Amino acid sequence: MLNSVMGRSAARFFLFRQYQNVVLLDGTTKKGEGRNMKILVINPGGTSTKIAVFEDDKQLFKANITHTAEDLKPFHKVFDQFSYRKELILRAVTEQGIELKELSAVAGRGGLMEPIPGGTYAVNDRMVEDMRNAVHGEHPSNLGSVLAKEIGDELGIPSFVVDPVSVDELMPMARISGISDLERPSWFHALNHKAVARWAAERVGKPYEECDLIVAHLGSGNSIVAHKHGQMIDGSGGRTNGPFSPERSGGLPTYPLVELCYSGKYTHEEMVAKLSSVGGMYDYLGTKDAQEVERRMAEGDEKAKLVYEAYVYAIAKEICSYAAAFEGKVDRIVLTGGIAHSDYVVREVGRMTAFLAPMEVVAGEFEMEALALGALRVLRGEETAKVYQ
């Protein structure tokens, strides 16, 4: 059984209430809360700051503020960009005719924090200090919580982060790697994972906290995760394990990798790049564009066909490996991320995993929507904001 919802516009039919009603995929509706709260969402990236304003669940506007290399040249550290980005955000919001005093909350993208369980967190001074001092590394997303708090404090409204990249809910035995010096990490697309998992739970007809799901986020990098009763208890992703992706190597044969690292063929920096940015499909085919690879396949390119078939097979194999976490009783398999737009990938992964569970497809990424929904759940009293410690 395969249920597919392709693209952002279609996805909004199930992720958002429209005009006080919840519009479900089967066409039925139910009464919404009828409240009127505006939420500013901030998602800082390396070369842009994405912002949006939602009224309840309805997006009023979205903007992508770009930052050129010349714009960022005066700033030596990520945190030095704080005032520059804040001014641009406030200007963009007011230019849309939205009065800042009308906002009910600000939600920012969570940065490199301490490992924490998933959920919506009120931004506190400890979180701000960790981001300011980059205790777990420099990243533009570190600005998200700090921007949210300063803007929120000035307006006298709460500020939140939702399911940051540091979410860590792994069960203890999933951390054991086989070498005591190395622990398997939790490094997933947590914000998008949790958003589509909540939607899939609605499709199943149970709360997310009672569902057993396997969610595969497929993009420039992959993360495939077992969601058991509301917790991401095991998974693969980042630069460490799991299937290769358009630009990342995924898990590699260990002993040959050690030999290659010490062969003198590549420097340390070059090996890191092979793992994280020029590995995967790119290392074999010279492109990170999955659509181009599919075009090559259609034109009879046998190498492209083999690499892409291996990519799809590795995804299906990884999904099936998490059946053990549920003793084979899985409610849904969910495909999300940009590559979930591919009919070929959906069809082939669905074919190879059909024996395990029905599949749902939520193509694209819904980070801005997920941030707004997380804040809204707290404002409505559906969820209690967690404390970052």
Side-chain angles (χ1 to χ4, degrees):
M1 177 181 176
L2 175 63
N3 298 297
S4 179
V5 179
M6 305 300 282
R8 289 181 182 269
S9 59
R12 290 200 176 95
F13 283 107
F14 59 81
L15 280 174
F16 298 104
R17 292 176 175 86
Q18 303 288 340
Y19 308 106
Q20 315 305 329
N21 290 311
V22 181
V23 182
L24 304 177
L25 283 178
D26 60 6
T28 63
T29 61
K30 62 182 179 180
K31 194 66 178 174
E33 296 293 332
R35 299 176 69 183
N36 181 23
M37 288 175 283
K38 290 182 180 176
I39 302 166
L40 170 62
V41 173
I42 302 170
N43 186 354
T47 59
S48 69
T49 303
K50 297 177 184 177
I51 64 170
V53 172
F54 292 80
E55 184 168 13
D56 291 337
D57 308 73
K58 182 183 177 184
Q59 181 179 289
L60 298 182
F61 92 97
K62 180 187 285 188
N64 188 22
I65 304 169
T66 58
H67 311 301
T68 67
E70 192 66 25
D71 292 333
L72 300 180
K73 188 176 180 180
F75 309 112
H76 300 292
K77 295 182 179 180
V78 166
F79 211 86
D80 296 339
Q81 303 169 17
F82 176 82
S83 296
Y84 159 76
R85 295 208 193 207
K86 177 187 171 186
E87 181 182 345
L88 292 175
I89 291 166
L90 296 179
R91 184 191 307 166
V93 172
T94 54
E95 285 176 353
Q96 291 293 322
I98 296 172
E99 294 192 32
L100 296 173
K101 65 182 181 181
E102 297 176 354
L103 295 174
S104 300
V106 187
R109 178 72 186 273
L112 303 180
M113 305 178 185
E114 294 285 343
I116 53 177
T120 300
Y121 287 77
V123 183
N124 59 18
D125 291 339
R126 166 68 191 279
M127 186 185 297
V128 169
E129 283 307 302
D130 281 0
M131 298 302 97
R132 186 188 303 274
N133 296 317
V135 294
H136 291 284
E138 289 267 7
H139 193 272
S141 63
N142 289 357
L143 289 167
S145 60
V146 189
L147 287 164
K149 182 167 175 57
E150 174 143 326
I151 293 171
D153 285 355
E154 290 175 357
L155 297 172
I157 57 178
S159 52
F160 304 104
V161 298
V162 183
D163 295 320
V165 294
S166 60
V167 167
D168 187 344
E169 300 169 337
L170 291 184
M171 57 183 175
M173 62 183 173
R175 302 181 189 279
I176 304 300
S177 68
I179 294 181
S180 61
D181 295 303
L182 302 175
E183 182 178 279
R184 294 195 185 280
S186 174
W187 196 257
F188 313 132
H189 301 83
L191 186 58
N192 197 53
H193 262 270
K194 291 278 189 175
V196 299
R198 286 181 179 276
W199 169 77
E202 289 186 14
R203 293 280 287 165
V204 173
K206 296 190 293 188
Y208 170 53
E209 291 75 16
E210 296 177 12
C211 275
D212 292 332
L213 309 165
I214 301 173
V215 180
H217 178 110
L218 309 178
S220 58
N222 304 320
S223 57
I224 301 177
V225 180
H227 293 245
K228 186 172 186 178
H229 290 185
Q231 301 284 304
M232 300 196 299
I233 64 166
D234 198 359
S236 62
R239 300 179 298 180
T240 54
N241 54 359
F244 68 89
S245 69
E247 63 177 34
R248 298 177 189 169
S249 66
L252 296 168
T254 308
Y255 191 81
L257 175 61
V258 172
E259 292 290 299
L260 183 61
C261 288
Y262 285 92
S263 67
K265 185 176 181 180
Y266 301 106
T267 65
H268 175 270
E269 291 75 16
E270 288 169 336
M271 283 305 304
V272 169
K274 275 190 172 290
L275 297 179
S276 58
S277 60
V278 294
M281 289 185 205
Y282 182 82
D283 200 35
Y284 287 96
L285 302 174
T287 181
K288 301 179 182 182
D289 187 343
Q291 291 181 322
E292 180 182 337
V293 177
E294 291 195 21
R295 285 194 296 270
R296 292 187 193 178
M297 289 173 59
E299 294 168 358
D301 185 327
E302 290 299 321
K303 184 176 181 181
K305 181 174 183 291
L306 175 60
V307 171
Y308 210 59
E309 286 178 342
Y311 164 72
V312 172
Y313 169 66
I315 292 166
K317 184 169 65 171
E318 185 77 7
I319 288 170
C320 292
S321 73
Y322 294 115
F326 311 106
E327 298 180 2
K329 299 171 185 176
V330 180
D331 291 313
R332 289 290 191 278
I333 296 165
V334 186
L335 296 191
T336 186
I339 295 181
H341 284 287
S342 166
D343 291 338
Y344 175 84
V345 171
V346 169
R347 183 181 67 250
E348 290 302 295
V349 173
R351 178 178 61 82
M352 286 185 270
T353 61
F355 71 94
L356 181 57
M359 176 182 286
E360 306 283 354
V361 180
V362 192
E365 297 184 10
F366 305 94
E367 294 177 344
M368 305 299 281
E369 296 89 339
L371 287 168
L373 288 171
L376 191 60
R377 287 193 298 272
V378 171
L379 294 177
R380 287 179 169 170
E382 299 169 2
E383 181 179 318
T384 301
K386 295 182 177 180
V387 178
Y388 179 75
Q389 297 178 339

